[in-house]
Amino acid sequence: MSFYRWDGEDLILDCHLQPKASKDEFAGLHGDRLKIRLTAPPVEGKANAHLQAFLAKAFGVAKSQVSLASGELNQHKRLRIRTPRNLPAIPGLQNA
């Protein structure tokens, strides 16, 4: 199983989030999920908002085009990115 799939023109990502990291970055795979490290703390939705902004910038879309499909209160999250313009340098995603 892969950490991503296409749903028409939308990209669905299965992620493992590590909040309170020293920097924002894609950190490879964590099992069958894409590990993402974020500097935001996991309180009051700050990490989720930061994750959406990080992914929006990486994929070249507006923040409103990144939505949390599941995992609001969990480290394991599924996100939908509507019509991504860029594919960042993530191993396994470049040839999607």
Side-chain angles (χ1 to χ4, degrees), residues 23-24 28 33 40 43-44 50 58 60 65 69 75 81-82 86 88 90:
K23 64 180 179 176
D24 298 336
R33 295 178 178 273
V43 293
E44 298 176 8
H50 195 85
Q65 290 181 269
Q75 284 184 302
I81 302 168
R82 288 194 242 41
N86 303 328
I90 300 171

Side-chain angles (χ1 to χ4, degrees), residues 11 30 41 44 47 49 53 62-63 85:
L11 182 63
H30 185 272
E44 298 176 8
K63 285 188 269 187
R85 287 188 237 153

Side-chain angles (χ1 to χ4, degrees), residues 11-72:
L11 182 63
I12 309 298
L13 287 180
D14 289 325
C15 303
H16 175 84
L17 186 64
Q18 178 188 334
K20 293 178 63 176
S22 59
K23 64 180 179 176
D24 298 336
E25 66 181 345
F26 294 109
L29 294 179
H30 185 272
D32 60 354
R33 295 178 178 273
L34 175 63
K35 184 172 185 176
I36 300 175
R37 294 182 179 129
L38 295 177
T39 56
V43 293
E44 298 176 8
K46 289 181 182 180
N48 287 338
H50 195 85
L51 174 62
Q52 288 172 288
F54 174 74
L55 291 175
K57 183 177 179 182
F59 286 90
V61 298
K63 285 188 269 187
S64 62
Q65 290 181 269
V66 179
S67 59
L68 188 62
S70 66
E72 183 177 353

